[in-house]
Each structure stands twice: as structure tokens, then as C-alpha cells.
Amino acid sequence: MAGRPARPANAIDQTRRMLSLVTYLRERPGARVEDVARAFGITEDELVSDLDVLPMCGTSFRGGDLLDIDTDGERIWWHNPAALGADAAEPLRLAADEATALLVAARAVATLPGLRESDRQALLRATAKVETAAGEAAGASARLSVTFESEGGVFADVDRAISERRRLWIRYYSPARDEVTEREIDPIRLVSVGHTYVEAWCRRSEARRTFRLDRVAEIRILDEPSAPPEVELRDLSESLVQPAVEDPEVVVEVGPGGRWVAEYYPHDSADELADGGLRITLRTPDPASLRRLALRLGADGRIVSPAELADSARGAATEALAAYEAPREAPDGADGRSRGADGA
């Protein structure tokens, strides 16, 4: 289709565009696809993709409240534009399922340990108002309850420490080293990228580190004030792992079966090799963590440099292989015959 080449999708840009698109289409019944695409500076394919999403939007998920927009490939038709009109607006009413979900969630959050008391009281007041507004629809919520896993308590303590500018002591499990360490950290912010993390200044490593909340085995808010150095907050919307230029450089060579490494690990370069593999150069604040990657790759890849890391990965692979090859002493009777079976 006509238009500029498709650009990488950006959820924020697409959302803004679709909000503008609703107003644009309402004022132009039967607008031509090519004209709308040109007006928004996108390809016709991108426009059609937006149009596929719009029918899932509306004032609620009930029939008639969703946008009824479709296209025949040439023109765009909006069959119920009055659904969003001011004259069609109705007071917000919660259905029974919506009221139940909202009240159960609100009560659960109010029980989180470490929640600031002012926030807890505000939440309870809002919950009471929702109960009154929902009337009989709120009855079912009283028979349901939600209990948060331990991560909820960790989240509350971290949130409180950030609010009160206090230092945290944690026992943290590092899967790359398969060990639990004790650390004091100055929390900077909570972020969510698939899992929930706290970005903090680690007093043990004297560097900025990111800790996954479900790997915090124990947490305690300390009396010491939190005083992280002034650091520039990074945009973590696309990737949590964002190596710094001063981090050690690691070179990994992978075969065709290991090309996925370039897709999952941020890297400086990925050069093609003659066998269809890649020579990948990347940076990491903890090179030792890549030993697990080397074991996972097996015959599909190897660490080239630094030499000490390559030797360490080679040694770990040798030890793992030896554990499989070492003969194990069979317990009595484990040779497939039961005691006393001879001569049976």
C-alpha cells in the first residue's frame, strides 16, 4: 500500500494517534483510507492496524458502547459515532462484576504491610464510597478475599523506604551466582518490566543496581537515611538491562543455533561469521553472570574474551560434564534383581 515505510511500533505514539483518529473520523464520515493515512503520516497498513484495535475501545465493554468502525479497504465507516456524544453520556454505573473486582482489590491493597497510614485511610474512605454507590452489587465482594504473596510485602517496604528516604537491608538471591547475599541499598525508584524491580544504589558494590522483588528473601527498613548519588534516570520501557560504556566488554561467538543471543542481550555489535553464526560484542557489569549463558549454549557458542572468563566457563562446563560421566554406585538390589532371586 502507499505511504512511508512502516516504522517500529511505539505504544505511546500509537495511543496518541488513535485518540486523534477518533475525533478525525467522527468529523469525516466515509473518509478515504489513503487520505487518512496521509493526514497522519503513516502507511495504510499502519492505519488498518489501528482500525483493528479501535472496535475494542469504548465507554465500556458492553454491546453498543464499543466503537463500531470498519473499512472496506477504500473508505472508513463509523456506524455509531453518537455513542461518544455528549448527549449520549450517562452517569457511570458499575456492573456487579466490576464492583466486585474493584472492592476486592481495594480491600486487599489496604492490608499490605508497610502501606503509609494516610494512604490506607484514603483507600478505605474511597472503598466505602464505592460500596455505597454499588448497593446490592457490592454484596458478593464481602465473600471474597485476596492474599498477596511475599512480593507484596517487599513492594510495600520498598515503597515506604522511597517515600521516607530511608535505607534498606536485604537478603537477595542472585541466580547467576546461585547465592544469597546481604546488602544495604538506597532505593531510587520502583519499575515494572515484566517483573517488578527496585532500582537502587548498592552500598556493597558502590554502583547502581536493579533488584527483582521476588528474589528478595528478607527485607528490613533501616534508620539510616537513604542518600543515593545523583544519577540520571534511564528509560527502561524497552529493556531493563542497559549496560554502561564503562562496563567490561565480553565477546561471544555463536553458531546458527545461538543467533537468538543477539535478540535477547543488548550488544554493541554482532558480526556475521562464515558458518552462519555471529561474533557478538556486549558489555555487562557482571561478566561472571555469562557463564550460565555459555553452559546454556553448549555446542552452539563459546565465550572468546576476556580470557579468564572463557577459562572459567570452560571449567564450569567440564565440571558439569564430569558430573554426568562419573559412575554412580548402585544401591543394594538396584541391578534389576531382587535379593534372593538367584536360582529362582
Side-chain angles (χ1 to χ4, degrees):
M1 292 184 177
R4 299 181 292 105
R7 303 159 298 178
N10 182 300
I12 295 177
D13 289 344
Q14 185 183 25
T15 300
R16 290 172 177 164
R17 183 172 67 239
M18 288 197 294
L19 289 173
S20 301
L21 188 58
V22 168
T23 302
Y24 186 93
L25 293 178
R26 183 174 179 177
E27 296 174 354
R28 296 167 177 81
R32 297 182 63 84
V33 170
E34 60 179 339
D35 294 338
V36 178
R38 187 183 307 111
F40 281 84
I42 59 177
T43 67
E44 294 181 25
D45 285 337
E46 288 176 307
L47 175 59
V48 171
S49 178
D50 288 348
L51 296 177
D52 288 340
V53 174
L54 284 178
M56 294 184 284
C57 304
T59 56
S60 80
F61 286 103
R62 300 183 184 88
D65 292 338
L66 297 176
L67 305 184
D68 187 4
I69 296 177
D70 65 25
T71 176
D72 59 6
E74 295 184 3
R75 294 184 178 275
I76 304 169
W77 306 100
W78 187 349
H79 303 292
N80 63 340
L84 296 185
D87 53 344
E90 297 181 357
L92 177 62
R93 292 185 175 86
L94 294 176
D97 57 338
E98 295 171 326
T100 298
L102 182 59
L103 290 170
V104 169
R107 293 192 187 110
V109 172
T111 64
L112 282 175
L115 187 66
R116 292 187 291 272
E117 188 58 28
S118 59
D119 292 339
R120 191 190 312 278
Q121 293 303 319
L123 181 58
L124 291 175
R125 289 194 297 271
T127 302
K129 292 179 180 179
V130 173
E131 287 178 335
T132 301
E136 295 181 1
S141 68
R143 299 189 293 272
L144 300 172
S145 63
V146 172
T147 301
F148 287 101
E149 298 293 337
S150 58
E151 182 180 329
V154 173
F155 180 97
D157 283 340
V158 173
D159 182 57
R160 179 183 169 192
I162 293 174
S163 174
E164 299 179 1
R165 299 177 183 272
R166 292 166 64 182
R167 186 170 297 177
L168 288 167
W169 171 88
I170 62 173
R171 291 181 63 245
Y172 187 75
Y173 172 66
S174 300
R177 301 186 184 90
D178 192 27
E179 65 179 3
V180 176
T181 57
E182 295 184 8
R183 304 165 183 258
E184 288 189 8
I185 63 173
D186 293 338
I188 299 172
R189 60 172 173 167
L190 285 158
V191 294
S192 180
V193 185
H195 295 277
T196 306
Y197 302 79
V198 55
E199 189 174 14
W201 186 262
C202 177
R203 293 294 168 180
R204 181 184 179 197
S205 59
E206 287 299 316
R208 176 165 53 182
R209 292 289 184 263
T210 305
F211 302 95
R212 207 167 107 177
L213 296 196
D214 61 356
R215 292 177 180 163
V216 176
E218 189 176 352
I219 186 170
R220 188 164 64 243
I221 301 177
L222 304 178
D223 292 332
E224 288 89 340
S226 173
E230 291 292 332
V231 294
E232 182 180 354
L233 295 181
R234 302 169 296 175
D235 180 8
L236 303 177
S237 59
E238 294 186 1
S239 173
L240 187 70
V241 181
Q242 295 183 345
V245 292
E246 63 271 16
D247 288 339
E249 182 180 273
V250 178
V251 177
V252 181
E253 287 188 354
V254 300
R259 294 180 66 95
W260 58 267
V261 173
E263 300 177 8
Y264 285 88
Y265 285 80
H267 54 276
D268 295 337
S269 63
D271 301 321
E272 294 285 344
L273 297 176
D275 64 353
L278 294 172
R279 182 182 177 90
I280 303 169
T281 302
L282 52 85
R283 296 180 182 275
T284 173
D286 184 16
S289 65
L290 294 181
R291 283 181 301 186
R292 178 167 294 190
L293 170 63
L295 293 175
R296 181 180 178 186
L297 283 170
D300 287 326
R302 66 188 183 96
I303 294 175
V304 177
S305 66
E308 58 271 21
L309 179 59
D311 292 340
S312 175
R314 191 177 300 111
T318 301
E319 292 177 6
L321 184 60
Y324 282 97
E325 293 179 341
R328 299 182 62 185
E329 183 177 345
D332 291 342
D335 59 353
R337 297 177 298 174
S338 61
R339 289 181 181 273
D342 294 341

